[in-house]
Each structure stands twice: as structure tokens, then as C-alpha cells.
Amino acid sequence: MTEYKLLFSPVKIGKMELKNRIIFPPMYSRLATEDGYVTQKQIDYYEVRAAGGAAMLTVDAVRVNKRSKFYPNSLGLFDDDQIPGWKKLCDTIHSHGAKVSTQMLHPGPSAGSMHGTVPVGPSPVWASDVRETPQELSLEEIKVIIGEYAEAVRRGKEAGLDSVQLHAAHGYSLIGSFMSPYFNKRTDEYGGSVEDRMKLLLDIIKAIKAKVGQDFPITVRISGDEYRQGSRGIAESQFIAPMIEEAGADALEISAGIVPDSFWQVIPPTGTPPGLNANAAETIKKVVNIPVIAVGKINTPRVAEFILKTGKADIVGIARQIATDPDFPKKAFEGRLDDIVPCMGDNLGCLFGHPTRGHVTCPMNPARARERECVIEPTENPKKVLVAGGGPAGLEAARVAANRGHDVTLMDKANKLGGQINLACVPPMKQEFSRMIKYLSHQANKEGVKIELGKEVTADTIDELKPDAVIVATGAVPLIPDNIPGIDGDNVVTAWDVLAGKVGTASRNVVIVGGGAVGSETADYLARIDDNASILSTKVTIVEMMEEIAMDMGVQPREILINRLRERDVVVLKSTTAKEIHKDGVTIEKKGRLEKIEDIDLVVLALGAEPVNQIAETVKGKVAEVHVIGDALKPRMALEAIDEGREVGRTI
């Protein structure tokens, strides 16, 4: 019997019964055709998640008309010709005992025109995230859209949907923008008072119920608190919740935030509290009688059970964690917590997709959106495999190769596994990244990989082991350019040295050369607020050649990091080049002018990395197969490293 008794107890939304209290909320998959039709890849994507044990899957975010596309390859329910594809998708999900919903999303002010969509909204209020002013909808256009919602749900019901969700949150949805006083400045029946700002949503609910029947379940997603000056707060959300229930909604899903001011609340990244919207859900739950769903960084079974046990919500929506590990519900039920693939919350693969293949992906699950292509099958030709390097790429390669039946040995010259992830865990709010190495290490051991630490792979190692294949995953070292005078001075260290604890951090005035993620996070680590007389303050200056800093991070973690750097008074010099390093300062060039930053006692280099792969040349001619992966091939992100590790382990 599972220890998570509430999580795996049944619950009803309207007359629809769910087998447990885990739902998979909508996530953008990029797997539909360009004109909005279901594809086999999309069916494969949702089938593995239905088989993983979630009670209900909410399929993507669906456009209700052809003209309003929020993103490329977005699913649609605006044409009867789309029904057969949806029916095949629904039948597949149903075959695994899960219910099917979808999210109805008409884009609002933040749609932007990049996809050929004319941005519309309640009022012509500048949308700062897309830098456009939407067109104000007329009463006649509003009536048309209400009818399009009802027709889209009618098609969905005919195809086999068990429920639908109306997106009324975050400001970027049309409904949510009408509900927000920030966007809605209308003086007619659809604006002004709180009740009138609610009218579009309530009219859509009533139109849908009239079209498909009162018993067809409708969930509404709202932001409990929009966290933006001039927007809706939790008190007003609590006031409007009973109105949504009275209109016919069967459940409420409580998210938070509004784009772009609080995007990190919409998709909370690494370092944010677990279940951070649960308290808002609890506030809403006090005033309604329909089920309340909590969403937002619910990434362990214990967090999910806690939210239910403490009465904060009736159901939990677990999106990115199930995207990472489709079998999360099944593993949670069986108590196999160490086997749950952890979501890192970096939001890069989820939001921006694979850097070369385009589709959504995940650092910890390279098979996401490639379910049929990335099947791991037993080998028919077992080999002796040597993996050099115990970072993410090497661990994943070793794990997968051993799982397939190869005899795998992994060696790393360090005294612990993890490679650069050990450094990535050090800056504030990054400790959760340690879960990556814990999981990969556990799985490699579980698969029988022979791990030898403190041992570097050399030519003698090859002669001794006589492997059939060598996987070079030896990582990278900091890049130190030779064109900056003084770069070899005693006052110059690398960001890696700082994060590894190899140098003291008591300096009073620091310049960090390089403002990518590593440099910016090192600045966050070093900077101290001068608010305590007993603590030495540290002034940090970032010198960055590009126009912005930390652009190699996900949007949400970058947003939080930038805010923290501002709070800590970190000076950021953008479009600036370090020209020379002195014993007491740094000469910089900005807009063609040279100037010197004075009184510097430490210079930290964060200028990228260069691969370490000399062993690949050493083993040439000695081993039949040599594969170079991860940063040893080319320094990039953990996403590419684990992807390459999985691929070589799967095909070797």
C-alpha cells in the first residue's frame, strides 16, 4: 500500500471521476502540424504519460480559431476535419485508464505578431513583453470569439474529450487579460467593475454548457495573485472564485503571476519554494465548493501529499516533473523515489526546445518528444566499454550502455562524480541541481557500472583493460585567453576556482570578466549586502561584451537572478571589454573609450570553457570505437551533454 494515500485516492470533477489526484497540466509540445492537426508524434508523447499513471492528461493549449496562433505548431479545434486526429489521441490515452482534457487558449495582448497573429485584447494597452499594442476587441468580435470557444469544445467532446480547461490566467490569454485591471480599461459591459471584467469568462462558460450540456466538466485556470502593480491580487481572486463556480465551472486551477513582470511565478524555476502556489489555492478553496487544483513546482510525491493533506487543494497538477519522468505517478505509488527522474527546473528545454532539433526536450529526459526514436533496447553484441569522465554526459552514457547489457567501467580523476554540476550547485538558489548527480549516480550503480574515482584514463589504462569501446566525456576547463595583458597575475582567478572553494571570498572589490550564466551566478555568490556591521561587504562589477548578461539561462531563472543582482548592488557594465588587468584594477573599453576600474583586489574570469579530450588521440589505433561527447566535444549545456550520453549509450 502506498504511503501517499490521499494522492492516490479517487476524486470527482463534476460527474467525472479521476482514479487519483494527479493531473498533467497543459504544456506546449510543438508536435502538431503547422496548421494545427494532431500528429503521431503527439500521440506517442501523450501515450507514455498516460501509461505512467496520471489520472488525467491536459493536452497542449488549443486555439479555438484559425487566425489566432500563440506559437508555432499549436494544436487546434477550429475545424471539424481535426476531429479524427483528436479521436485517435483520446482513444490512445483512454486505453491506459486516463482521462483526457485540453486547454482552450485564445491569445491576448502578449500574442505578438511574430506568428502572423494580430494581437487583440480588452483595451489598447502596451504589452511590454512583445513590445506591441493590441487591437481593442469590439462587442461583435467578442460575440464571435465566445461562439468559437463553444464550437471548439463541441468538437473536442465529439472526439472523446472528458473535460476542457479555460485558460484565464497570466495576462497573455485573452480571457485573463479581460479579467485583469492592468489590461482591461473598457467602459462598456465587459469592463469597469470587477463583475464586468469577469463577463467574458462567464459568458464563455455559459455558452459552452449550452452547447455540450451541463454535465460536461469545465476547469478554469486563474492566477491567484498576478504579482504586478495595478493587477489583480489574491483578495480579488477570492472574491471572483464563487462567481466562476456559479457560472458552471466544475473546478478551479490556481496558478500565479502575469507576463512579463512575474514570469518566474508562472513557471517557477530552480531555487523557488516547492508548491509555491499552494497557499493561494488554499485561499480560494475556502470560498468555493468545487475542487481546487494547485499547480507550480510540485515535483516530489511528498510535496504533493502535503498539499492535499493540509487541505490546500483537492488535486495537484504536476507538469514539468511528469514531462521529465512520465512514470512519476507509478514510481510514487510503488515507493521507488530514487528512481524518479528529477526535474531540474532550468526551463530551457521546456520553453525553447532543443537547440538544433527544435522540439521541446528536457535535460534529464532526452527522449521527450522522441518517444519512438529513443527506445533503449538490449544489445545483441555485448562489449567492454570504458567511460572516461563522471559528469552528466559520462554518467548517462554509462547508465544506458550498462542497461543494454554492455560491461561498463567509468573512471574519473576526481574524487567524486558530477563534473561541473558540482560547481553549478554552489551559487544561491542552485542547490537543487545536485539532484541530477544523485539520480545519475544511483542509476549507474544500479545498472552495475563499475565506478573508479581518483583514476585518470591513460594509455596504460587502455592496455590493461583492453576495452572494445571508449567514451570520452572528460569535460572542459576554463577558457583563459592570451590577448589580455595581466591575465596571469596573482590577483586573477577563474569562476570555477571560486565556486570550488579553492580561493577565499573575502575580497572587498571584485571584477568579474564575463557575464554569462557562470559569471553572473558567481557575482550573486560573491556579492554581499552591506546591512550588517559585522559582515564585510563586497562590491562586485560584471564586465560583459554583449548587450545583456546571463542570456544563456532560461527566462525565469534569469529574471530571479537579475533581480538578486540589483538587490545586491552588483554593477553591470554591458557592451564593455576588459583590455588589461593590473595589480589594482582593470582597464576596460566601452564605446571606444578606455577607462580604469580602480582599487580592485580580485579579478574573476568567466569567459567560457574549452574541451579536454586529449585521451581521444591517445586511444586512437588502440580501440575500435572512440566516442567524444559532452563538453569534451564542445562546451555547452547539461541538456546537450546528457542527450549525447544517452545517444551513444543507446547505439554503441
Side-chain angles (χ1 to χ4, degrees), residues 501-523:
K502 293 180 180 179
V503 295
T505 57
S507 299
R508 300 296 303 274
N509 206 345
V510 178
V511 167
I512 296 179
V513 183
V518 173
S520 299
E521 289 180 341
T522 303

Side-chain angles (χ1 to χ4, degrees), residues 467-479:
D468 302 304
V470 172
I471 299 172
V472 179
T474 41
V477 293
L479 176 64

Side-chain angles (χ1 to χ4, degrees), residues 62 65 99 101 112 169 173 188 200 259 297 338 364 379 384 392 394 436 448 454 463 510 514 586 601 647:
V62 170
N65 59 49
K99 302 292 185 183
S101 180
S173 75
D188 60 13
L200 177 61
V259 176
K297 205 179 177 190
D338 288 340
M364 297 301 293
T379 182
K384 183 181 285 188
M436 176 189 294
D463 293 337
V510 178
V586 178
D601 52 10
E647 193 62 19

Side-chain angles (χ1 to χ4, degrees), residues 31-44 46 59 62 74-77 81-90 159:
L31 296 176
T33 65
E34 182 59 31
D35 50 357
Y37 285 72
V38 173
T39 64
Q40 185 58 51
K41 268 198 168 188
Q42 207 151 33
I43 294 172
D44 297 340
Y46 283 103
V59 174
V62 170
S74 53
L75 263 176
L77 270 170
D81 289 345
Q82 293 166 323
I83 294 175
W86 273 95
K87 186 176 189 313
K88 185 178 179 183
L89 173 61
C90 290

